[in-house]
Amino acid sequence: HFETQTGAELQTWHTFTRMTSLTSNPMEDIENMEGEYMEGSSGHRRNRSNPEPEQTRPQPPRSLDFQSATSSISLTTPSSPGDGLGKTTKLENMKNWTISTYKCSRQSLYEKMGKTSKTVDPELEDQIDTLRNTQKKYSEILRLARALSSHFYNLVQTQNSLGECFTDLAHKSPELQQEFLYNAEAQRNLTKNGQHLLASLNFFVSSVNTIVNKTMEDSLLTVKQYETARVEYDAYRTDLEFYAAAKETEANQMKLSETQVSFNNKKTEFEKLRSDVQIKLKFLDENRVKVMAKQLLLFHTAVSAYFSGNQVALEECVKQFAGKIKSPATSWIEQ
């Protein structure tokens, strides 16, 4: 009977619980359960749905009012009155250089393509080609003369070492003392004569080097300036012919006047450099012949005297070389 009553009560409780779940919000029940204060061993808990008022915190301003800072000190670099003029001059120079470079490049390209004519001086061009060929040949002479001087220097050093070895053995070998001494004396004489010839070779190399790498190079530098001036002259001459044949408009007349001024300046520069080249080539050829004639004669005398064993002639030749080194130069090439 007790078990039957208990089962009926449980069934009634389940029915009530099911009906309650259909008519109530479970989340509200949970919040209500959490909202109650419960006493326990750890104290009491606060209702989360109705929290206690917190301490008031200062709120940040919604907008910031910044005021612009002012100063009487200038933050820019002070400029002198001539800075503007200097910048304008630089820009003008750059503009002129760009235009000139473009004109010269166009002129050179058209000349290679055969679309324009160029100013040619056949006689001067032949002299320039001759100078360039002469420099190449003299450069080869200079290379070979340096090689001969280097090899001969090694020969002289070997002869000197051999003479010292003979002298040392003469003191250590009494039975061959006279033979070693004869050979040592011979090597000493060869070394002495070799040093004289070596001095002559070095002076010859120095003279040829001056002609090739200083005198001729200076003349070829002037030739390069002349060729550049020639291209500029032809470039402005072509522009002048173009504007002269164009329609007579105001813009074309202004261009014609500007080109005429530039053409006159380039023509003056071109003629001056052509005259300088002609004068330099003339004096170069005359002095080259004069200097090389003396150098070749002394070189021949020194070599012949050395290999023939003529010590007197070799010493005389060395004196002539030394005299040329110490005496004032008689030509501007030697200077």
Side-chain angles (χ1 to χ4, degrees):
H1 177 72
F2 178 76
E3 293 177 355
T4 303
Q5 185 178 2
T6 303
E9 291 176 356
L10 290 174
Q11 185 176 6
T12 303
W13 173 256
H14 285 303
T15 302
F16 174 77
T17 304
R18 188 179 299 110
M19 292 178 65
T20 304
S21 63
L22 294 176
T23 58
S24 63
N25 188 354
M27 296 302 295
E28 292 180 356
D29 295 338
I30 293 174
E31 291 178 356
N32 292 331
M33 292 175 65
E34 291 181 351
E36 298 177 355
Y37 286 94
M38 299 179 61
E39 298 289 341
S41 59
S42 59
H44 65 276
R45 287 183 290 179
R46 180 170 55 86
N47 186 356
R48 296 182 181 178
S49 62
N50 187 19
E52 294 179 359
E54 298 181 358
Q55 185 178 359
T56 305
R57 298 180 180 179
Q59 299 296 327
R62 296 183 179 180
S63 63
L64 299 176
D65 186 12
F66 293 102
Q67 295 182 357
S68 59
T70 59
S71 174
S72 60
I73 302 176
S74 176
L75 300 179
T76 59
T77 304
S79 58
S80 60
D83 287 347
L85 181 60
K87 293 180 180 179
T88 304
T89 305
K90 290 181 180 179
L91 291 176
E92 189 67 23
N93 293 337
M94 183 177 296
K95 175 184 176 182
N96 295 334
W97 176 84
T98 304
I99 295 174
S100 179
T101 303
Y102 165 73
K103 291 179 182 293
C104 294
S105 301
R106 182 190 61 186
Q107 178 68 22
S108 300
L109 180 61
Y110 282 178
E111 288 179 0
K112 293 179 180 179
M113 297 175 62
K115 292 186 177 181
T116 185
S117 60
K118 66 177 183 178
T119 303
V120 179
D121 189 342
E123 182 179 359
L124 184 58
E125 294 294 332
D126 292 340
Q127 293 178 0
I128 293 173
D129 292 338
T130 302
L131 172 60
R132 286 173 174 159
N133 293 331
T134 303
Q135 187 189 36
K136 291 180 180 179
K137 295 177 181 179
Y138 275 55
S139 297
E140 184 67 14
I141 293 176
L142 178 61
R143 184 185 68 83
L144 295 174
R146 282 175 172 170
L148 177 62
S149 177
S150 176
H151 295 325
F152 196 76
Y153 171 80
N154 294 329
L155 174 62
V156 171
Q157 293 300 316
T158 303
Q159 289 175 340
N160 185 41
S161 299
L162 186 59
E164 292 177 354
C165 184
F166 285 154
T167 302
D168 183 64
L169 288 174
H171 296 289
K172 296 180 180 180
S173 302
E175 68 279 5
L176 297 174
Q177 185 176 15
Q178 293 298 325
E179 287 77 4
F180 278 128
L181 289 176
Y182 291 153
N183 284 276
E185 183 66 22
Q187 293 301 321
R188 278 196 297 268
N189 292 332
L190 289 174
T191 300
K192 181 180 179 180
N193 295 337
Q195 290 175 350
H196 291 164
L197 179 59
L198 187 61
S200 302
L201 290 176
N202 290 335
F203 185 77
F204 177 79
V205 169
S206 176
S207 299
V208 176
N209 179 69
T210 300
I211 294 175
V212 173
N213 294 323
K214 292 184 179 180
T215 309
M216 290 184 176
E217 193 64 29
D218 179 71
S219 298
L220 289 176
L221 180 61
T222 307
V223 169
K224 291 179 181 179
Q225 295 175 354
Y226 158 75
E227 292 175 345
T228 302
R230 198 274 307 165
V231 173
E232 294 178 351
Y233 166 77
D234 284 339
Y236 282 94
R237 176 181 58 81
T238 302
D239 286 351
L240 185 64
E241 294 174 354
F242 171 78
Y243 288 117
K247 294 182 180 179
E248 295 184 359
T249 61
E250 183 178 356
N252 288 340
Q253 291 299 319
M254 291 180 60
K255 288 290 185 180
L256 180 61
S257 300
E258 295 176 358
T259 306
Q260 183 68 49
V261 174
S262 300
F263 170 76
N264 292 334
N265 295 333
K266 297 300 178 181
K267 181 179 179 180
T268 303
E269 182 180 357
F270 167 68
E271 291 178 348
K272 179 181 180 300
L273 285 172
R274 179 170 60 182
S275 177
D276 292 344
V277 170
Q278 290 174 345
I279 294 173
K280 279 195 173 185
L281 292 181
K282 180 181 178 181
F283 281 101
L284 171 64
D285 190 63
E286 293 177 355
N287 286 273
R288 176 184 60 83
V289 173
K290 180 180 177 181
V291 172
M292 286 304 298
K294 294 181 180 180
Q295 293 298 320
L296 291 172
L297 179 60
L298 294 173
F299 179 80
H300 172 74
T301 304
V303 173
S304 301
Y306 174 81
F307 286 101
S308 65
N310 191 347
Q311 184 176 357
V312 177
L314 182 59
E315 292 177 355
E316 185 65 24
C317 183
V318 171
K319 291 180 181 179
Q320 293 182 17
F321 274 113
K324 288 184 66 62
I325 295 175
K326 295 179 181 179
S327 62
T330 57
S331 66
W332 62 278
I333 289 185
E334 295 174 353
Q335 293 177 357

